[in-house]
Amino acid sequence: MDSPASPARRRVLTASLAAFGAAAVPGFAAAAAASATRIVLLGTAGGPTPKALRAAPASAVVVGDAVYVVDCGNGVARQLALAGLRLGSLRGVFVTHHHSDHNADYGNLLLLAWAADLRTPVDAWGPPPLKRMTRQFLRMNEVDIRTRIADEGRPDPATLIRAHDLRAHDLRAGGEVMRDERVRVRAAVVEHPPLRPAFAYRFDTADRSVVFSGDTRPSEALIELARGADVLVHEVMYLPALEKLIASEPQAARLRQHLLDSHTSAEQVGRVATAAGVKTLVLNHFVPGGDPALTDEVWRAAVAPHFGGELVIGRDLMTL
């Protein structure tokens, strides 16, 4: 679907953010204002097990010819290809937390981009130990890397991939993570026990602002990070379906408690978006994500009474 913003509002936002960027970073307005920002939902399921109906969690923010990926669930590189996004356009990777449905293909995305047409540096951010994970992944694939450097003339990927550990104490109030000529990215610490830290990310470009919640229970820090944003992409859990979801789990009681303690219900999602004053709420990271009985209408009916703005039921490869 197209951007929810009206042409008039988009022009006003573009002008104001371009002015902000021009003052802060030379060339921001010229580079970013010339390119509309797109949001691509690469995978919208929640949980580590593969599902037939939805791919694993991953999203992309596309500004001109640059791609910034948020989370790297299983199959993210193929989802980028299906979305028509060139792997060599990758400029940044942002991991919200270290559950496997969010980082399983972090290293694979970088390796496959390098094996395709990546020739420019990529910066990656996430909770510790992202830097150590990156080094270990490259070491694990040393045979393939060394062979392709010698046989195909490729650059050493270690010279292209720059990983950064984000520290919770620096970002509790929504601190800046990075800024380039296209986008400014801020992060806030959200609550997803027992994993700490876990982050939400906000992307501000010349024409849009979009926030990704990551996995979290209702979070005041997230509300502040998302304040007034054009788009909030937020995880969602449908409580009436939980018992069916966990019925086959040997530790059902523990899993139920984890889901209730560390995720956000459909009603709560609507209230969070309302409190933040966002214009459009996009549901993502569906739990359950593999039940065909949970149609768009079911999700909409659960959230809409609690949010008066535009509500989008996310699906794989949706572009906003």
Side-chain angles (χ1 to χ4, degrees):
M1 64 177 286
D2 294 330
S3 164
S6 68
R9 189 171 68 81
R10 288 282 293 275
R11 284 194 295 271
V12 172
L13 183 60
T14 298
S16 62
L17 276 175
F20 152 77
V25 179
F28 180 96
S35 304
T37 302
R38 292 180 289 146
I39 306 160
V40 184
L41 305 181
L42 299 170
T44 58
T49 56
K51 298 167 180 66
L53 298 181
R54 297 179 183 271
S59 300
V61 176
V62 185
V63 188
D65 61 354
V67 176
Y68 305 86
V69 168
V70 180
D71 281 331
C72 300
N74 177 43
V76 60
R78 185 170 187 270
Q79 293 302 106
L80 283 163
L82 289 172
L85 299 174
R86 190 172 61 86
L87 290 177
S89 297
L90 189 64
R91 295 294 177 269
V93 177
F94 300 83
V95 176
T96 60
H97 65 290
H98 288 310
H99 265 143
S100 56
D101 51 331
H102 294 257
N103 73 3
D105 266 9
Y106 162 70
N108 287 333
L109 172 60
L110 296 170
L111 182 69
L112 295 174
W114 170 77
D117 57 349
L118 183 68
R119 297 296 180 269
T120 53
V122 176
D123 286 281
W125 290 268
L130 192 70
K131 290 176 69 173
R132 178 161 55 88
M133 290 167 58
T134 306
R135 290 193 301 268
Q136 291 175 336
F137 183 85
L138 293 177
R139 189 176 303 121
M140 180 180 74
N141 288 276
E142 181 181 0
V143 172
D144 178 74
I145 290 169
R146 187 173 62 243
T147 301
R148 295 188 186 278
I149 290 174
D151 190 46
E152 302 170 12
R154 297 182 181 277
D156 184 346
T159 65
L160 298 177
I161 300 167
R162 305 179 297 209
H164 311 268
D165 287 343
L166 296 179
R167 304 292 176 176
H169 60 80
D170 296 328
L171 297 168
R172 292 200 180 278
E176 183 171 293
V177 173
M178 63 82 67
R179 185 193 298 238
D180 64 16
E181 71 277 9
R182 300 175 182 86
V183 63
R184 178 194 187 201
V185 182
R186 287 178 284 162
V189 178
V190 294
E191 299 179 34
H192 185 54
L195 279 179
R196 294 182 176 89
F199 295 109
Y201 293 102
R202 175 171 179 146
F203 293 73
D204 286 292
T205 72
D207 64 321
R208 300 184 87 178
S209 53
V210 55
V211 177
F212 297 90
S213 72
D215 282 9
T216 182
R217 63 191 181 196
S219 165
E220 288 297 325
L222 172 64
I223 290 172
E224 288 306 312
L225 184 70
R227 184 77 62 189
D230 291 311
V231 181
L232 171 61
V233 182
H234 202 296
E235 68 137 86
V236 64
M237 179 173 60
Y238 188 66
L239 292 180
L242 281 193
E243 296 308 317
K244 180 180 178 181
L245 172 67
I246 66 177
S248 61
E249 294 289 334
Q251 301 294 331
R254 292 182 65 177
L255 177 57
R256 180 192 298 110
Q257 196 59 49
H258 164 74
L259 292 171
L260 294 174
D261 288 346
S262 59
H263 291 279
T264 307
S265 72
E267 176 181 342
Q268 291 170 330
V269 169
R271 296 188 186 281
V272 165
T274 297
V278 301
K279 300 169 182 65
T280 298
L281 170 62
V282 180
L283 302 184
N284 188 38
H285 192 279
F286 292 86
V287 176
D291 188 347
L294 298 182
T295 63
D296 287 4
E297 290 70 27
V298 172
W299 292 105
R300 186 176 299 279
V303 177
H306 312 287
F307 177 66
E310 182 174 7
L311 176 60
V312 177
I313 314 302
R315 63 177 182 273
D316 292 0
L317 304 180
M318 173 182 280
T319 299
L320 301 111

